Amino acid sequence: MTPKEVLEFAKKNECKQLDMRFTDLPGIQQHVSYPISELGEDSFEAGFGIDGSSIRGWAAINESDMLLIPDPATAMMDPFFEYPTLVMSGTVIDPITRQHYERDPRWIAIKAENYLQSTGLADTAYFGAEAEFFIFDNISFDQTQNSGFYFIDADEGRWNSGRRDNNLGYRPRYKEGYFPVPPTDHYMDLRAEMVEVMQKCGLHIECHHHEVATGGQCEIDQRFNTLVKSADNMMTYKYVVRNVANQFGKTVTFMPKPLFMDNGSGMHTHQSLWKGGKPLFAGDNYAGLSQMALWYIGGLLKHARALSAIIAPTTNSYKRLVPGYEAPVNLAYSRRNRSAACRIPMYSSNPKAKRVEFRPPDPSANPYLAFAAMLLAGLDGVLNKIDPGESLDKDIYDLSPEEMKSVPSMPASLEEALGCLEDDHAFLLKGDVFTEELIETFIAYKRKNEADAVRLRPHPYEFSLYYDI
């Protein structure tokens, strides 16, 4: 929509409120609201003033005045508020220089698309991310100087099979939640409601199902879209999932690994390059790929350890990325093989369906940063003709220790991942998509507020291991 069309859309829907949204550095969506009378055609250039000093990873208090510029293409009606509310996402600019704010994740994603076009290699990057999540009935947690705990419960959790009261059975076994019908799958109707609301918000949903883990692990798949639009859609997706669950008295988490000894939640990300409406990843090489696609894979694999700090950006991410379990920590590529970091789906021979699926990302990632970083890694592979090596067409988890020595792997912790990003980030600076200052800020924030914060605190299991030592 154009600005004028947005105003007509608001009038048609009798909007009372405008809700402006943006995303902080760690990837949490923020919002500020206005009476709809505050929105005019000039608002799309003048913007709305916000205070950025309390936004995580953003400006110091002496540089906190910012402008939020609405993007008319993101306009939609909020499906949850009592009063009819128009929602738009925005980008952030400096009110004095009128320059874009370099720590605004959405602006970084926009710059990634601009850089792609400037290379002449392609004009469009498509991303399709499959975000998994857990639906719980209750969550409690706390951390003090002398205590620390969490407690999760879900009626569907297999651990409730021995409960004496209000127990009808039918719960997915550990690692066997893929794809039982109801009543073992408790959440068919809840997911269907989520899908209905997502479609009202303009998302194109392809399917939904129960995932592998017990205790309410689910997946709803969106259709692929351009990089920025896919990131916008992922923020809407999370917003809808959380709020629909809340309406049903449930709670949702996108933590990668909330349950011990069961599958974690990933965000497998399908990606491809196009030019002039034609797919560039289809060809006559391995698995029906083009040489460009193989070089793109080479870039993803070469920079995967640095990417990990952005695509798996939490300490909890590395409870999922553990060798020998469900996550693809081994940096190899293969057709069909889900134990490889890069998988080439073989569902269709249509050239338009040819794509690369990168499996290490998880849904704790900021999608604007994650999609931009993956694109830059892939483009570095194409520009420098990085050979991905030989494919690995067998179950990587069954390889002998001798064979495994030749297969590199993802970092084992957030701290290790941040070190990899420090050592390897020149590819992210291409086209000024990421800046040195942004990367330094990101690493410092993650190291102080997450990696060090967790490292400094005693873990409950340490008392089981060491209290009587």
Side-chain angles (χ1 to χ4, degrees):
M1 288 188 278
T2 64
K4 184 177 181 181
E5 289 170 335
V6 170
L7 295 175
E8 292 170 352
F9 176 76
K11 184 176 181 180
K12 177 183 176 182
N13 286 279
E14 300 181 344
C15 289
K16 304 296 184 184
Q17 296 283 312
L18 166 67
D19 201 53
M20 286 297 305
R21 298 186 183 171
F22 60 99
T23 303
D24 67 11
L25 202 57
I28 302 297
Q29 195 171 45
Q30 312 290 325
H31 79 134
V32 56
S33 303
Y34 307 88
I36 197 66
S37 58
E38 294 296 304
L39 179 68
E41 279 196 68
D42 60 339
S43 303
F44 294 87
E45 289 191 13
F48 295 90
I50 60 170
D51 175 5
S53 63
S54 296
I55 305 302
R56 295 185 303 171
W58 277 26
I61 196 166
N62 61 313
E63 297 177 337
S64 59
D65 286 352
M66 298 178 181
L67 288 174
L68 187 57
I69 307 297
D71 183 345
T74 64
M76 68 175 191
M77 293 299 297
D78 187 277
F80 302 108
F81 294 153
E82 180 178 351
Y83 291 95
T85 300
L86 174 70
V87 174
M88 283 188 285
S89 295
T91 52
V92 180
I93 67 171
D94 185 291
I96 298 173
T97 66
R98 303 291 296 186
Q99 297 296 307
H100 283 278
Y101 185 49
E102 296 296 346
R103 296 189 195 178
D104 174 12
R106 192 168 188 270
W107 171 236
I108 291 170
I110 292 170
K111 286 193 291 181
E113 287 189 323
N114 293 341
Y115 172 65
L116 170 65
Q117 295 172 4
S118 75
T119 66
L121 295 171
D123 53 35
T124 306
Y126 284 117
F127 280 75
E130 304 168 348
E132 299 163 350
F133 55 91
F134 279 87
I135 302 170
F136 296 140
D137 289 289
N138 184 64
I139 175 70
S140 56
F141 52 88
D142 200 5
Q143 176 74 59
T144 67
Q145 279 74 14
N146 68 321
S147 68
F149 78 94
Y150 70 88
F151 182 81
I152 294 168
D153 202 12
D155 182 70
E156 194 200 66
R158 189 70 179 181
W159 58 84
N160 276 316
S161 294
R163 194 175 68 201
R164 303 301 292 270
D165 299 324
N166 303 315
N167 191 350
L168 300 178
Y170 294 109
R171 295 180 175 88
R173 296 175 181 87
Y174 296 105
K175 294 184 176 290
E176 294 186 23
Y178 204 80
F179 302 135
V181 297
T184 304
D185 176 1
H186 287 211
Y187 296 118
M188 173 64 195
D189 287 341
L190 180 53
R191 290 196 309 272
E193 177 66 16
M194 292 172 178
V195 169
E196 290 299 310
V197 176
M198 287 178 185
Q199 291 180 140
K200 290 177 182 177
C201 292
L203 303 188
H204 186 151
I205 304 302
E206 294 185 329
C207 73
H208 65 93
H209 56 84
H210 201 285
E211 258 297 338
V212 175
T214 191
Q217 191 184 35
C218 297
E219 180 179 314
I220 300 173
D221 290 342
Q222 304 182 63
R223 187 173 179 81
F224 66 88
N225 213 313
T226 56
L227 189 155
V228 174
K229 188 61 178 173
S230 286
D232 286 341
N233 289 348
M234 184 56 67
M235 300 311 295
T236 300
Y237 173 100
K238 287 185 171 184
Y239 177 73
V240 170
V241 166
R242 290 189 179 108
N243 279 279
V244 170
N246 190 66
Q247 289 180 332
F248 278 70
K250 309 290 185 182
T251 180
V252 159
T253 184
F254 289 93
M255 277 180 68
K257 190 75 170 181
L259 297 181
F260 173 58
M261 292 303 291
D262 210 340
N263 278 38
S265 294
M267 188 178 71
H268 308 147
T269 305
H270 299 251
Q271 40 205 292
S272 63
L273 299 181
W274 291 54
K275 189 173 185 178
K278 295 181 179 180
L280 301 180
F281 275 12
D284 299 324
N285 292 297
Y286 173 81
L289 293 176
S290 66
Q291 183 61 64
M292 175 184 280
L294 288 172
W295 286 334
Y296 191 97
I297 291 171
L300 286 175
L301 295 179
K302 177 182 178 181
H303 299 298
R305 288 174 59 80
L307 284 174
S308 62
I310 298 173
I311 64 170
T314 67
T315 59
N316 187 250
S317 299
Y318 298 88
K319 304 293 194 296
R320 168 182 172 261
L321 293 174
V322 177
Y325 289 86
E326 82 274 6
V329 300
N330 301 294
L331 299 177
Y333 72 101
S334 175
R335 59 189 172 196
R336 305 176 66 182
N337 190 344
R338 285 173 167 79
S339 64
C342 283
R343 185 178 77 92
I344 298 91
M346 301 298 291
Y347 297 119
S348 172
S349 59
N350 188 332
K352 294 182 177 180
K354 193 56 64 178
R355 60 197 187 274
V356 174
E357 177 192 9
F358 194 48
R359 294 178 65 79
D362 69 55
S364 68
N366 183 326
Y368 298 105
L369 302 182
F371 297 167
M374 284 185 276
L375 175 63
L376 289 168
L379 289 178
D380 189 62
V382 177
L383 290 167
N384 292 292
K385 300 181 179 179
I386 297 174
D387 185 354
E390 293 296 318
S391 62
L392 202 52
D393 291 323
K394 50 186 171 181
D395 189 341
I396 295 172
Y397 303 139
D398 289 337
L399 293 179
S400 68
E402 202 61 36
E403 291 174 300
M404 282 300 300
K405 287 181 181 179
S406 63
V407 182
S409 64
M410 294 286 283
S413 68
L414 178 59
E415 180 57 43
E416 185 181 353
L418 293 170
C420 292
L421 181 58
E422 279 182 321
D423 295 339
D424 175 25
H425 61 259
F427 70 99
L428 295 174
L429 305 178
K430 299 289 180 64
D432 294 323
V433 177
F434 288 76
T435 65
E436 194 78 54
E437 192 270 345
L438 182 280
I439 293 171
E440 290 174 359
T441 299
F442 181 87
I443 291 173
Y445 177 89
K446 286 286 178 178
R447 186 166 280 153
K448 176 183 177 182
N449 296 287
E450 298 180 30
D452 286 352
V454 170
R455 182 174 58 84
L456 289 169
R457 286 166 168 80
H459 189 284
Y461 191 57
E462 290 178 320
F463 287 84
S464 298
L465 291 172
Y466 307 127
Y467 188 76
D468 59 351
I469 201 166

